[in-house]
Each structure stands twice: as structure tokens, then as C-alpha cells.
Amino acid sequence: MTSAPATPRTTLRRHDREIVALAVPVFGALVAEPLFVMADSAIVGHLGTAQLAGLGIASALLTTAVSVFVFLAYATTAGVARRVGAGDLPAAIRQGMDGIWLALLLGAAVIAAVLPTAPALVELFGASDTAAPYATTYLRISALGIPAMLVVLAATGVLRGLQNTRTPLYVAVAGFVANAALNVGLVYGAGLGIAGSAWGTVIAQCGMAAAYLAVVIRGARRHGASLRPDAAGIRTSAQAGVPLLVRTLSLRAVLMIATAVAARLGDADIAAHQIIISLWSLLAFALDAIAIAGQAIIGRFLGAGDAQGARAACRRMVEWGIAVGVVLGLLVIASRPLFLPLFTGDQIVKDAAFPALLVVALSQPICGIVFVLDGVLMGAGDGSYLAWAMVLTLAVFAPVALLIPVLGGGLTALWAAMTLMMAVRMLTLWLRARSGRWVVVGATR
């Protein structure tokens, strides 16, 4: 007996179920990551202001260093998903191992760079004389955990490519709990102060990396995939990551320029900007969850040679991005009177943030399209186009943003420029998606 052919409605339902099944655990794992820093801040904050200031500087340096290498997750997800779609699980895991070996090599290089330069890096960030020793101590100890952090990124990409987003959620939650417990025990129980917080984070990160490696190694043995480093495979992983690195650095430059411009507008504006950028980042987690699901789904369809399925999944995910963006925008509008008092009691800061938040709310459907198409093109391995598109976006945004203080604009104008930046990204990504040039089928691109 043959099954009935799939109708458009059943196809949409299948896409919806798959998007939700992958995106919801991803969202949970993404939210768990910043909780590490929040837990450290809450624990270290009771040691004193200088210690908390030192933690803030060191955490900013570490976050920047690790975020630069986020391509380890993105490129690995796309490559592994293609192999999965092609039905070659041993090759999928082998490609994932290449990404993990690359993560270890990059992590070792970062340690070698950070340990001797830690005092200079802390000074570059303008640390006070009282905070600098604490920042240096935390940075040097925490740097030892960077290889583990990068392994977590690469291994997360492996599991996402294998269409498994639940395990990263479980590991992230366990890591957060372990990090909090270790921090309390080492900071106060063992009396190690800020050094105890750093060691607690390193131990938690190493535990997370070990958990991921156990899962990947078990899969490699089950499918007969080699675990040994392969120079050609590692080189291929690095080459796939270079365009995504350019994209990430360009995006980081946009955010740094926005912060620098806000600082030139005055204390109230930079304070309001910090509140808004925190909310913007939180909203991005929800949209990024759909994008990451898109990476895994699109890569699998293309690896299986199903171009039509990849296009249909892309359309459905764009619809999801718009819908989620509309919901997030409405939530921002409705919660503005309640949200701002949580962060400040200064009416001047509230007045600066209130209209800018409206701009953020109206831009969320645009952000939804951008995040989803970004994930689709990453899943297709279209990194070169993403790199050039982001460089172009930076070239448009930078002069507009830098002119705002000159022309007497305020924070609302700055966030209008941020919306322009997202609109440019949307245009470049939409043109690429519409062209169909990203649809390259096969186990490799």
C-alpha cells in the first residue's frame, strides 16, 4: 500500500514541527550562555566594587575573543548537515572532528597570545589601578579555558548538523549549574576570591567540552569514523570559516561604532544605549534560534540533493522570522513602561530610551528576515557572499552613524541608523535568496 502524496498543508506542518523541534532547544541553550557571566557577576559583586570592575573588563575581553570564533559552530553545522543529508554519517562525524581539532589549535594559539599580554590588554580597556590586578588575574586564569570554550562551539555545531539540538541544551544547563556551584565554593568556601570565580568557570567549561567530546567520540566509534587529526580536513574547516570570520568581525565593528557614537552623545544616552543593546541582544536569541535551525535544515536538504525542499524550507522559515519579529515588536511596545524601571530610575535616561525602543520594536520584523536568511545562507555554505554583504553593510552604516553627533542627532537617530543597517542586510540577503545561487546540492559545496 503506497502512502498518499504530501499536500502543501502537510508539508508546511512538517516544516513547522521541525523548526520548532530544533529552534526551541537552541533558544534555551543560547539563553544559558550569558547566564555564566551573570552568575559570575552576582557572586564576585559581593567581594567589592574593584573586583566586579575587574571581572567586567576581563569578561568583555574573553567574550570578544570567543565570539570571533563563532564560525566554528556555524561552519561545522553546515558541513555536517550536508553530509547527513547525503546519508554519509561517518563523513559527517569526520568533518565535525576536523572542526574540533581546529578549535583546539586556535584555543592553544589564543592562550599563547593572552597570557603574556594580559596586563597590556587590561590597560588598553582603561582599567583603574584598583581594578587592573583583579582583571589581569581573572583574564589569565580564564584564558586557560578558551580551548574548551572553542571545543564547545565546534562540538555544538557537530550536534546541530546531526539535527540534535537537545543535547547542547542539556549540557548548557548543566554547565550553568556547575559554574554557579563551583564559583560559590571556590570564591567563598575556599577563600580564593576572584581567582576562584575564574577557576570555577574554567572547570565548568572543561566539563562541558568533555561531555560534548564523549557524545561525538561515541558517535564516531559507532559509525567507524576516525578521530585522528587530518591536516587536509582541518585546513578545509579553516577555509570555510574565514568568510564567516570576516562577517563576524564586520558585525562586531558595527556594534562597536554604535557604542562609540552613543558615548559621544552624553552619559544619559550611553546609559540608555546600554539598556537597549541588552534588550536587542535578548531579542536576537529568539531570532537566532530559528536561524540556527535553518542552518541544520537547509544543509541537510542540500546534502540530500533536494533543491525544491531547501527552497520550501527557506520560504517557511522566512515566514516564521517575520511572525516572531512582529510578536517581539509588540512585546517591546507593550513592555516599555515596565521594562525601563528595571534598569534605571533616572528619568533623563528613560526619556532617551523610550523613543529609541519604539524604533527597535518596529525593526523586529526586518530583524526576523535578516536572521533567518543569514542562517539559510550559512546552512548552504554561502559564506563568501555573507562576508562581502556584511562588509558592504558596514560601509553604509559607518558614515551614517558617525554623522549623527555632528548633525545633532540623538539616541533615536542612532537606532534609526541601526535599523538602516538591518535593512541593508535584509536587501542583500533577499537578493541572494531570490537569485537561487545559494542552492548548490551535494555532500560538499
Side-chain angles (χ1 to χ4, degrees), residues 287 290 315-328 364-369 372 426:
L287 298 173
I290 304 173
R315 286 193 297 272
R316 190 56 175 171
M317 281 182 286
V318 168
E319 291 169 359
W320 268 85
I322 295 171
V324 173
V326 169
V327 171
L328 292 177
Q364 287 309 296
I366 296 174
C367 294
I369 297 172
V372 167
M426 181 181 70

Side-chain angles (χ1 to χ4, degrees), residues 51-66:
Q51 289 90 333
L52 184 58
L55 172 65
I57 293 167
S59 294
L61 286 164
L62 287 166
T63 300
T64 300
V66 173

Side-chain angles (χ1 to χ4, degrees), residues 253-270:
V254 165
L255 299 177
M256 289 175 65
I257 290 171
T259 299
V261 170
R264 293 174 63 185
L265 297 176
D267 290 347
D269 283 317
I270 186 61

Side-chain angles (χ1 to χ4, degrees), residues 78 82 294-295 298-299 302 375-383 438-440 445:
R82 274 186 177 269
Q295 293 173 28
I298 294 298
L302 294 178
V376 166
L377 297 184
M378 282 186 191
D382 204 9
W438 59 277
V439 183
V440 180
R445 183 177 172 86

Side-chain angles (χ1 to χ4, degrees), residues 107-433:
V110 173
I111 287 180
V114 170
L115 290 182
T117 61
L121 290 172
V122 168
E123 183 179 355
L124 184 65
F125 264 59
S128 67
D129 292 339
T130 54
Y134 297 112
T136 302
T137 296
Y138 191 93
L139 181 59
R140 278 182 165 158
I141 296 172
S142 295
L144 300 177
I146 286 179
M149 296 180 197
L150 299 188
V151 166
V152 167
L153 284 176
T156 299
V158 176
L159 295 183
R160 288 173 180 170
L162 293 171
Q163 319 296 297
N164 176 2
T165 57
R166 291 184 177 273
T167 298
L169 172 61
Y170 300 149
V171 174
V173 171
F176 167 71
V177 173
N179 177 67
L182 286 166
N183 269 257
V184 171
L186 294 174
V187 171
Y188 297 109
L192 296 180
I194 195 169
S197 176
W199 280 117
T201 300
V202 169
I203 294 169
Q205 292 286 357
C206 289
M208 292 172 66
Y212 275 117
L213 288 175
V215 174
V216 174
I217 290 171
R218 186 166 62 246
R221 288 175 175 168
R222 183 185 307 124
H223 296 287
S226 173
L227 297 172
R228 294 181 178 180
D230 175 67
I234 294 172
R235 188 165 53 250
T236 299
S237 294
Q239 290 170 346
V242 168
L244 296 180
L245 175 61
V246 173
R247 167 202 168 273
T248 300
L249 290 175
S250 299
L251 182 57
R252 296 292 300 185
V254 165
L255 299 177
M256 289 175 65
I257 290 171
T259 299
V261 170
R264 293 174 63 185
L265 297 176
D267 290 347
D269 283 317
I270 186 61
H273 177 75
Q274 185 58 38
I275 294 171
I276 295 171
I277 201 71
S278 299
L279 174 63
W280 197 71
S281 299
L282 179 62
L283 298 173
F285 285 140
L287 298 173
D288 208 23
I290 304 173
I292 290 170
Q295 293 173 28
I297 293 169
I298 294 298
R300 192 192 71 233
F301 272 119
L302 294 178
D306 188 355
Q308 183 178 352
R311 290 190 179 93
C314 174
R315 286 193 297 272
R316 190 56 175 171
M317 281 182 286
V318 168
E319 291 169 359
W320 268 85
I322 295 171
V324 173
V326 169
V327 171
L328 292 177
L330 292 174
L331 287 175
V332 171
I333 292 173
S335 64
R336 280 187 305 164
L338 303 175
F339 175 76
L340 289 174
L342 295 176
F343 289 85
T344 182
D346 190 329
Q347 190 59 46
I348 298 177
V349 175
K350 291 180 184 178
D351 290 342
F354 204 78
L357 277 175
L358 179 60
V359 175
V360 170
L362 295 175
S363 71
Q364 287 309 296
I366 296 174
C367 294
I369 297 172
V370 168
F371 275 79
V372 167
L373 290 180
D374 207 42
V376 166
L377 297 184
M378 282 186 191
D382 204 9
S384 295
Y385 183 84
L386 289 172
W388 286 112
M390 197 60 229
V391 170
L392 172 63
T393 301
L394 173 61
V396 173
F397 170 77
V400 173
L402 293 174
L403 278 173
I404 289 173
V406 177
L407 299 177
L411 189 65
T412 303
L414 175 59
W415 276 95
M418 289 287 285
T419 302
L420 171 65
M421 179 270 296
M422 294 302 290
V424 172
R425 289 186 70 191
M426 181 181 70
L427 177 62
T428 58
L429 297 175
W430 177 79
L431 288 173
R432 186 65 167 182

